[in-house]
Amino acid sequence: MTPARTDDRTLPPLFDIGPLWAVLWGRRVMVLAIAGATLLLALLYLAVTSPSYTATASILIDPRDSRATNFNDVLPGIGADSAAIASQVFVIESQDLLGAVFDKEGLQNDPEFSGKGLVSRVLSMFGSGRGPSPDAAFKRFQKAVSVDREGLTYVINVSFTSPSPEKAARIANAIVNRYRTGLAGERETANSDVNSLLNDRIKGLQKDVSDAERAVEDFKSEHEILGSADGGTLQSQLDQLTAQLITAQGDADQARDRYNQALAAGTSSAGLAKLAEILFSNSAVKLRDDYNQRAAELANLETMYGPRHPAIARLRSELDRMNRLMAAEAERIRQQLKAGYDLAAQNVAKLQAKLEALRQQSTNSNIAQVQLRQLDSKAQAARTVLDDFLKRAQETSQMQGVQTSEARTISAASAPLQPTWPKPALLLPVSAFLGLIAGCGIALALGPVRKPEDDPRSSREEVPQAAQPKEPKKDGAAMSRPLPANFGEYRLPGVAGGAAHSSIKALRKSLFQTGSDALSLGVLKLMRQILLRLSDHPKPFVLLVSSTRSNVDARLAGAMVGIGLQQAEQNVLVVEIGGQPHRAGYGPGLFIDGASGLRTVVCSPVVEKGPEFRDRNTLRGILAEAGSAFDFVLVIAPSLAEKGWDREIFARADLMLFALSPSESASGTTALLEQHLGAGRIERSATLVIDSAQPAGAKAMPDVASGTGGLRRSSLARS
């Protein structure tokens, strides 16, 4: 089975406009009077207020730089980012720029800014008034200036407001011109300042370069380090000396070989011939030729005359003399070769000594080269920096007068034709509307319009009550005593004279079957009335259902409330006080009631006697375990006529519902509740009439009290 569908349009309105309209209509004269007074004040303001005109000039901040040369600007452009453009708004509004315009335009003595105000005029009538100070006049001028950026564009609007349209246009254009002139002047000033600083710095850099180069030359001279332009470096000298040493060593070796050959040749004619080949000598050649000639003659004469011939003796004597001469010549040649060898050896030794000394000098020079390179690097760095400064100084000197401003005027201010304030077409309708709103607010704040025949108790009723039998008014005390809320009369389907279990089954079947929209609507109205009586606090909310006579009526009312909350998607726990734990075949503890379909638990009627009481079978124990798992705890308490009734059980309830029969009167019920609960708890109680005498299956037409307010829980509002 599915729950019956209801149409929200049939529910009472959450906000009733009828009482509000009645209040406004009852005080319509006052509302119209306030609106008329507001309109009259607006007309008076228009009559006494002089018109003001606003002139606007627009400038474009162009972030693109015009490049006439490839030189870098000393002061670059403003930039294309949004923050840079927005910053120019504050630059235009700055006190320095506006102060320059204020002084240049001669506005110090302008009556618009230096004139006396109303207070000063009143004081001047008594001789104590003074004119505004220069700072006050400038503040007035500053308030008339408005600078705004046009969205996220590069356009800035400069506006000025004045009673004179010509003056407004003139001052707006003056502010724009001053801003543009300031931008161009900033670049020229920056170039001039940078050029002066560069020239001052160049003098010091030139001295640094001169000192660095002098230190390099002094170091070279001190350590005898020669450059390629000064006759060769040490390495080139080492190379030359090494080549000379190799040549000298070769000459010495050659002289030594010739000398050894001369020693081996001997002094004979053949040896002299070898010596002549080693070292050419005319004497050796002539002596050798004479010796050979004499030897040939001697051989011929010995053959012809024999060994004893005087000619042979003479020739032998000459040959001996020739041998002595050749031996002397050979010795002379050997001495000459030895002298050449000694000279070559001395030359080699001298070159070796020079080479060793030069190598030692080269070693010392390599150590000095490290320091020389450091000094040379410093000198080169100083020259590089000096060159950069000289180049930059030349560039900045040429940039004078060729830089343009990136701000240009795209719309000059002109004298406006229409005033910007006041605007009658806007001011009069707005003032009339505000007057009506103020009049309506005051009328509603004063409350409902009282009439002589009105019942004074009607203003104190929180929830409209259903029609009740009129009781005779005995005295003033009876008029002021609190009354329980009346939630109306409900004719529920049931079995006439049957048990509560059967009637609850019939009620649940009727609520969940198609065609019972009227009954479902009545239950939803009852839920709304219940929530209007609850105060917001953490869940669960405790609802107590009882009766004055029959416990059957209390169980029927509790089942209707529990099923209604379940339809509204709320977690409901039903607690029956003093019931049978083994009813309908269910065991002890939490169970699903077979009639209502609700989660139910039966607890003991024993009342807790203090915080140390921890019995889980009591109402306190059940509420402690329920915690935040349930939204509502529905307590079915004994009727007021039963012996198990106890006042302390009712103290834990957020709202007490008492089910009455159609025969019970309202006055008798109120007196009975005051007797059992006390007058202080009557405000947390409500009554509803349960009539279940109608046969099961008939359509019920609940008679619910009208005039419900808005729901406090969103889940019931969704239902």
Side-chain angles (χ1 to χ4, degrees):
M1 295 183 292
T2 58
R5 299 182 179 271
T6 60
D7 191 356
D8 290 342
R9 292 177 294 181
T10 62
L11 295 175
L14 297 179
F15 181 75
D16 193 0
I17 199 174
L20 300 181
W21 175 252
V23 172
L24 295 178
W25 182 254
R27 291 190 170 87
R28 59 186 179 277
V29 177
M30 182 186 69
V31 173
L32 294 177
I34 294 175
T38 306
L39 187 61
L40 184 61
L41 289 176
L43 291 173
L44 182 61
Y45 176 78
L46 291 174
V48 301
T49 302
S50 59
S52 59
Y53 299 85
T54 300
T56 302
S58 300
I59 57 177
L60 174 65
I61 307 297
D62 195 349
R64 299 171 299 177
D65 291 335
S66 57
R67 287 289 184 179
T69 64
N70 291 329
F71 299 159
N72 294 326
D73 296 335
V74 172
L75 187 63
I78 294 174
D81 60 309
S82 180
I85 303 301
S87 300
Q88 298 308 303
V89 174
F90 295 95
V91 172
I92 299 175
E93 291 179 336
S94 64
Q95 187 172 358
D96 292 341
L97 191 146
L98 295 181
V101 175
F102 185 77
D103 296 337
K104 183 179 180 181
E105 296 294 327
L107 303 178
Q108 299 88 346
N109 301 322
D110 194 321
E112 181 181 348
F113 308 108
S114 61
K116 297 181 179 180
L118 179 61
V119 177
S120 300
R121 291 177 182 176
V122 173
L123 293 177
S124 63
M125 296 175 62
F126 299 95
S128 59
R130 294 182 299 173
S133 62
D135 292 339
F138 177 73
K139 292 296 183 183
R140 291 182 182 178
F141 166 77
Q142 198 173 20
K143 289 180 180 179
V145 179
S146 176
V147 183
D148 298 312
R149 182 184 179 186
E150 192 70 28
L152 296 178
T153 64
Y154 298 150
V155 178
I156 297 177
N157 297 323
V158 180
S159 304
F160 188 80
T161 303
S162 174
S164 172
E166 292 78 10
K167 183 192 295 184
R170 176 171 55 87
I171 295 179
N173 290 327
I175 294 174
V176 170
N177 293 333
R178 178 64 185 179
Y179 171 69
R180 295 181 67 249
T181 303
L183 287 181
E186 286 179 359
R187 290 196 170 190
E188 295 296 332
T189 303
N191 283 342
S192 179
D193 294 343
V194 169
N195 198 14
S196 300
L197 292 174
L198 288 175
N199 290 330
D200 294 341
R201 189 59 179 164
I202 284 172
K203 296 178 181 178
L205 291 175
Q206 287 175 341
K207 184 178 181 302
D208 293 342
V209 171
S210 178
D211 294 343
E213 291 179 347
R214 185 179 298 108
V216 171
E217 296 301 327
D218 292 344
F219 188 83
K220 286 182 178 181
S221 177
E222 179 181 355
H223 294 82
E224 296 181 356
I225 299 176
L226 301 178
S228 58
D230 298 330
T233 61
L234 285 175
Q235 186 61 41
S236 63
Q237 293 180 10
L238 284 172
D239 295 340
Q240 294 175 4
L241 193 58
T242 302
Q244 293 177 6
L245 179 60
I246 293 173
T247 304
Q249 186 68 43
D251 294 342
D253 293 340
Q254 185 177 4
R256 184 185 57 190
D257 293 340
R258 292 169 65 187
Y259 176 66
N260 291 334
Q261 289 177 4
L263 290 178
T267 59
S268 63
S269 174
L272 187 60
K274 291 181 179 181
L275 290 177
E277 294 176 359
I278 296 173
L279 180 62
F280 180 77
S281 175
N282 291 327
S283 299
V285 173
K286 185 178 181 181
L287 288 174
R288 181 172 173 273
D289 291 340
D290 290 345
Y291 178 79
N292 290 334
Q293 183 179 1
R294 295 297 189 273
E297 291 180 0
L298 179 62
N300 291 331
L301 290 177
E302 284 181 352
T303 303
M304 291 176 62
Y305 300 109
R308 292 183 177 272
H309 193 277
I312 294 174
R314 182 181 58 80
L315 288 176
R316 285 181 178 176
S317 175
E318 288 181 3
L319 286 175
D320 292 336
R321 184 177 63 84
M322 293 295 295
N323 284 328
R324 288 194 299 270
L325 290 175
M326 285 191 299
E329 182 65 22
E331 184 64 25
R332 185 189 68 79
I333 292 174
R334 283 195 295 269
Q335 292 298 326
Q336 185 178 358
L337 292 175
K338 184 177 184 305
Y341 167 67
D342 293 339
L343 182 60
Q346 292 177 3
N347 190 21
V348 169
K350 189 183 297 184
L351 290 175
Q352 287 178 345
K354 277 187 179 183
L355 183 60
E356 187 64 27
L358 196 58
R359 286 176 177 171
Q360 184 63 34
Q361 183 180 357
S362 176
T363 302
N364 297 333
S365 178
N366 289 335
I367 299 174
Q369 284 287 349
V370 177
Q371 301 179 10
L372 178 62
R373 283 193 293 270
Q374 295 177 355
L375 294 176
D376 197 15
S377 298
K378 291 181 180 179
Q380 183 62 31
R383 284 191 293 269
T384 302
V385 174
L386 177 60
D387 292 341
D388 291 341
F389 270 73
L390 289 173
K391 180 181 178 182
R392 188 57 177 164
Q394 186 66 20
E395 290 179 357
T396 54
S397 64
Q398 296 300 325
M399 291 293 292
Q400 292 292 126
V402 299
Q403 290 182 316
T404 58
S405 175
E406 60 267 30
R408 57 187 177 90
T409 304
I410 59 175
S411 176
S414 59
L417 300 178
Q418 298 294 332
T420 56
W421 188 260
K423 294 182 178 180
L426 174 65
L427 189 60
L428 294 179
V430 171
S431 62
F433 177 75
L434 293 178
L436 286 175
I437 295 298
C440 293
I442 295 174
L444 294 175
L446 294 177
V449 180
R450 297 182 180 274
K451 297 180 180 180
E453 63 273 13
D454 288 345
D455 186 358
R457 291 183 299 173
S458 61
S459 61
R460 297 194 302 269
E461 292 180 355
E462 295 181 2
V463 180
Q465 305 294 323
Q468 298 180 1
K470 295 184 179 180
E471 298 291 337
K473 300 179 182 179
K474 297 180 180 181
D475 51 19
M479 296 173 59
S480 61
R481 70 180 185 179
L483 299 175
N486 187 353
F487 285 172
E489 181 178 350
Y490 296 86
R491 295 183 179 91
L492 304 180
V495 180
H501 187 77
S502 301
S503 299
I504 293 174
K505 276 189 174 182
L507 171 64
R508 180 176 177 82
K509 180 179 180 181
S510 178
L511 286 175
F512 281 87
Q513 72 180 0
T514 306
S516 300
D517 293 346
L519 181 58
S520 299
L521 179 62
V523 173
L524 287 178
K525 291 180 180 179
L526 176 62
M527 297 301 101
R528 183 172 295 178
Q529 288 179 309
I530 290 175
L531 289 183
L532 286 174
R533 307 290 297 187
L534 297 178
S535 300
D536 290 333
H537 63 76
K539 62 181 182 180
F541 294 94
V542 180
L543 302 179
L544 187 141
V545 183
S546 182
S547 61
T548 58
R549 298 178 183 177
S550 173
N551 195 29
V552 175
D553 294 337
R555 292 191 60 191
L556 285 174
M560 181 175 62
V561 173
I563 296 173
L565 292 173
Q566 189 181 53
Q567 283 184 306
E569 300 179 357
Q570 302 296 306
N571 293 328
V572 183
L573 175 65
V574 178
V575 180
E576 293 187 7
I577 298 179
Q580 296 296 329
H582 296 283
R583 176 169 50 85
Y586 296 100
L590 184 66
F591 61 92
I592 303 297
D593 188 87
S596 63
L598 301 174
R599 284 177 286 186
T600 307
V601 65
V602 178
C603 73
S604 171
V606 177
V607 180
E608 301 89 335
K609 300 301 182 180
E612 70 281 353
F613 197 86
R614 298 294 186 219
D615 191 356
R616 298 175 59 187
N617 196 32
T618 60
L619 181 60
R620 175 187 291 182
I622 292 175
L623 293 178
E625 289 188 1
S628 60
F630 295 93
D631 299 320
F632 287 88
V633 176
L634 192 62
V635 181
I636 309 298
S639 64
L640 301 181
E642 294 184 11
K643 295 181 180 180
W645 183 87
D646 195 312
R647 178 182 296 180
E648 296 300 327
I649 297 178
F650 291 76
R652 296 184 177 278
D654 295 308
L655 180 63
M656 295 174 287
L657 301 176
F658 291 94
L660 308 179
S661 62
S663 61
E664 295 183 72
S665 64
S667 59
T669 302
T670 303
L672 185 62
L673 294 179
E674 287 182 352
Q675 178 183 356
H676 285 77
L677 302 179
R681 297 182 181 179
I682 297 298
E683 296 180 353
R684 292 190 295 111
S685 64
T687 62
L688 67 161
V689 178
I690 301 298
D691 185 3
S692 61
Q694 186 175 355
K699 293 184 179 179
M701 297 299 293
D703 184 12
V704 185
S706 61
T708 58
L711 291 177
R712 294 187 184 182
R713 296 189 64 85
S714 60
S715 59
L716 287 179
R718 289 194 302 268
S719 301

PDB file of all heavy atoms in Angstrom, residues 493-504:
ATOM      1  N   PRO A 493     -11.627   6.392  11.253  1.00  0.00           N
ATOM      2  CA  PRO A 493     -12.285   5.120  10.927  1.00  0.00           C
ATOM      3  C   PRO A 493     -11.943   4.075  11.983  1.00  0.00           C
ATOM      4  O   PRO A 493     -10.818   4.020  12.491  1.00  0.00           O
ATOM      5  CB  PRO A 493     -11.682   4.762   9.570  1.00  0.00           C
ATOM      6  CG  PRO A 493     -10.366   5.448   9.558  1.00  0.00           C
ATOM      7  CD  PRO A 493     -10.542   6.718  10.331  1.00  0.00           C
ATOM      8  N   GLY A 494     -12.872   3.300  12.353  1.00  0.00           N
ATOM      9  CA  GLY A 494     -12.640   2.287  13.375  1.00  0.00           C
ATOM     10  C   GLY A 494     -13.818   1.360  13.496  1.00  0.00           C
ATOM     11  O   GLY A 494     -14.801   1.441  12.753  1.00  0.00           O
ATOM     12  N   VAL A 495     -13.731   0.487  14.465  1.00  0.00           N
ATOM     13  CA  VAL A 495     -14.789  -0.480  14.744  1.00  0.00           C
ATOM     14  C   VAL A 495     -15.548   0.003  15.963  1.00  0.00           C
ATOM     15  O   VAL A 495     -14.947   0.209  17.030  1.00  0.00           O
ATOM     16  CB  VAL A 495     -14.207  -1.884  14.983  1.00  0.00           C
ATOM     17  CG1 VAL A 495     -15.323  -2.880  15.280  1.00  0.00           C
ATOM     18  CG2 VAL A 495     -13.388  -2.324  13.789  1.00  0.00           C
ATOM     19  N   ALA A 496     -16.792   0.229  15.801  1.00  0.00           N
ATOM     20  CA  ALA A 496     -17.589   0.750  16.910  1.00  0.00           C
ATOM     21  C   ALA A 496     -17.574  -0.234  18.069  1.00  0.00           C
ATOM     22  O   ALA A 496     -17.886  -1.415  17.901  1.00  0.00           O
ATOM     23  CB  ALA A 496     -19.040   1.004  16.450  1.00  0.00           C
ATOM     24  N   GLY A 497     -17.134   0.287  19.229  1.00  0.00           N
ATOM     25  CA  GLY A 497     -17.082  -0.562  20.410  1.00  0.00           C
ATOM     26  C   GLY A 497     -15.960  -1.552  20.394  1.00  0.00           C
ATOM     27  O   GLY A 497     -15.855  -2.386  21.291  1.00  0.00           O
ATOM     28  N   GLY A 498     -15.075  -1.515  19.353  1.00  0.00           N
ATOM     29  CA  GLY A 498     -13.994  -2.474  19.259  1.00  0.00           C
ATOM     30  C   GLY A 498     -12.794  -2.077  20.095  1.00  0.00           C
ATOM     31  O   GLY A 498     -12.724  -0.993  20.674  1.00  0.00           O
ATOM     32  N   ALA A 499     -11.790  -2.951  20.127  1.00  0.00           N
ATOM     33  CA  ALA A 499     -10.584  -2.672  20.887  1.00  0.00           C
ATOM     34  C   ALA A 499      -9.709  -1.674  20.140  1.00  0.00           C
ATOM     35  O   ALA A 499      -9.885  -1.417  18.943  1.00  0.00           O
ATOM     36  CB  ALA A 499      -9.824  -3.975  21.144  1.00  0.00           C
ATOM     37  N   ALA A 500      -8.721  -1.084  20.888  1.00  0.00           N
ATOM     38  CA  ALA A 500      -7.828  -0.088  20.277  1.00  0.00           C
ATOM     39  C   ALA A 500      -6.987  -0.712  19.182  1.00  0.00           C
ATOM     40  O   ALA A 500      -6.666  -0.049  18.184  1.00  0.00           O
ATOM     41  CB  ALA A 500      -6.941   0.523  21.356  1.00  0.00           C
ATOM     42  N   HIS A 501      -6.585  -1.983  19.322  1.00  0.00           N
ATOM     43  CA  HIS A 501      -5.751  -2.639  18.328  1.00  0.00           C
ATOM     44  C   HIS A 501      -6.442  -2.677  16.968  1.00  0.00           C
ATOM     45  O   HIS A 501      -5.847  -2.370  15.934  1.00  0.00           O
ATOM     46  CB  HIS A 501      -5.421  -4.058  18.803  1.00  0.00           C
ATOM     47  CG  HIS A 501      -4.429  -4.770  17.941  1.00  0.00           C
ATOM     48  ND1 HIS A 501      -3.078  -4.499  17.993  1.00  0.00           N
ATOM     49  CD2 HIS A 501      -4.597  -5.738  17.000  1.00  0.00           C
ATOM     50  CE1 HIS A 501      -2.454  -5.269  17.123  1.00  0.00           C
ATOM     51  NE2 HIS A 501      -3.364  -6.031  16.498  1.00  0.00           N
ATOM     52  N   SER A 502      -7.725  -3.001  16.939  1.00  0.00           N
ATOM     53  CA  SER A 502      -8.474  -3.057  15.678  1.00  0.00           C
ATOM     54  C   SER A 502      -8.669  -1.674  15.091  1.00  0.00           C
ATOM     55  O   SER A 502      -8.576  -1.470  13.874  1.00  0.00           O
ATOM     56  CB  SER A 502      -9.833  -3.733  15.919  1.00  0.00           C
ATOM     57  OG  SER A 502      -9.669  -5.039  16.431  1.00  0.00           O
ATOM     58  N   SER A 503      -8.959  -0.702  15.946  1.00  0.00           N
ATOM     59  CA  SER A 503      -9.164   0.661  15.452  1.00  0.00           C
ATOM     60  C   SER A 503      -7.880   1.224  14.848  1.00  0.00           C
ATOM     61  O   SER A 503      -7.912   1.928  13.831  1.00  0.00           O
ATOM     62  CB  SER A 503      -9.661   1.556  16.588  1.00  0.00           C
ATOM     63  OG  SER A 503     -10.899   1.102  17.099  1.00  0.00           O
ATOM     64  N   ILE A 504      -6.718   0.930  15.444  1.00  0.00           N
ATOM     65  CA  ILE A 504      -5.438   1.429  14.909  1.00  0.00           C
ATOM     66  C   ILE A 504      -5.152   0.787  13.572  1.00  0.00           C
ATOM     67  O   ILE A 504      -4.674   1.437  12.626  1.00  0.00           O
ATOM     68  CB  ILE A 504      -4.309   1.161  15.918  1.00  0.00           C
ATOM     69  CG1 ILE A 504      -4.505   2.017  17.180  1.00  0.00           C
ATOM     70  CG2 ILE A 504      -2.946   1.460  15.295  1.00  0.00           C
ATOM     71  CD1 ILE A 504      -3.527   1.717  18.284  1.00  0.00           C
TER      72      ILE A 504
END
